Amino acid sequence: MSDILSTLAKTLEDRKKAEPETSYVSSLYAKGLDKILEKVGEEAFETVLAAKNAEVDTQQREKVVYETADLWFHTLVMLAQLNIHPDEILSELARREGLSGIEEKASRQP
């Protein structure tokens, strides 16, 4: 699973050098972080809507998968813009494995 994230992270890094006219991702980078964040927010909203509809219409499952892929993709673009590799996120998730959500949340409070 992390192989696809690493491959995609490399592709996203490579797109930083591409011309905005030739690459969707490069065009997002050229527009800056605010545009990338706008796309992440848009995809998050579409994912939530798809999931909500899937609750009442089980045939919407594919839509949830599609929208979640869009959300993850744009989140990876955001991370690349901020020079954060997906491995950093995976490491944080690994650190949290086995912790209860309540304990993890408490550990963040001063």
Side-chain angles (χ1 to χ4, degrees):
M1 168 86 143
S2 67
D3 288 345
I4 188 64
L5 290 177
S6 291
T7 301
L8 189 50
K10 177 163 180 3
T11 300
L12 294 175
E13 272 305 307
D14 291 345
R15 293 297 187 268
K16 288 180 177 180
K17 300 172 206 136
E19 293 297 321
E21 300 79 30
T22 64
S23 164
Y24 169 71
V25 171
S26 183
S27 73
L28 286 176
Y29 290 144
K31 292 174 185 171
L33 184 60
D34 285 348
K35 182 61 176 178
I36 295 168
L37 295 175
E38 180 183 312
K39 287 300 295 178
V40 171
E42 174 187 320
E43 298 303 340
F45 181 72
E46 290 174 2
T47 301
V48 169
L49 282 180
K52 186 63 177 164
N53 291 334
E55 188 175 51
V56 294
D57 180 359
T58 55
Q59 300 207 354
Q60 289 290 314
R61 184 178 187 279
E62 287 181 30
K63 182 84 170 159
V64 174
V65 170
Y66 181 87
E67 295 299 345
T68 301
D70 279 351
L71 173 60
W72 287 14
F73 177 82
H74 286 89
T75 299
L76 289 168
V77 172
M78 175 197 71
L79 292 172
Q81 176 75 5
L82 297 170
N83 297 310
I84 299 171
H85 194 276
D87 286 344
E88 293 180 63
I89 309 305
L90 294 175
S91 292
E92 176 59 17
L93 289 171
R95 183 190 70 77
R96 295 180 188 186
E97 186 176 3
L99 285 177
S100 83
I102 294 169
E103 290 172 5
E104 194 284 324
K105 190 171 182 177
S107 73
R108 291 187 262 159
Q109 297 173 356

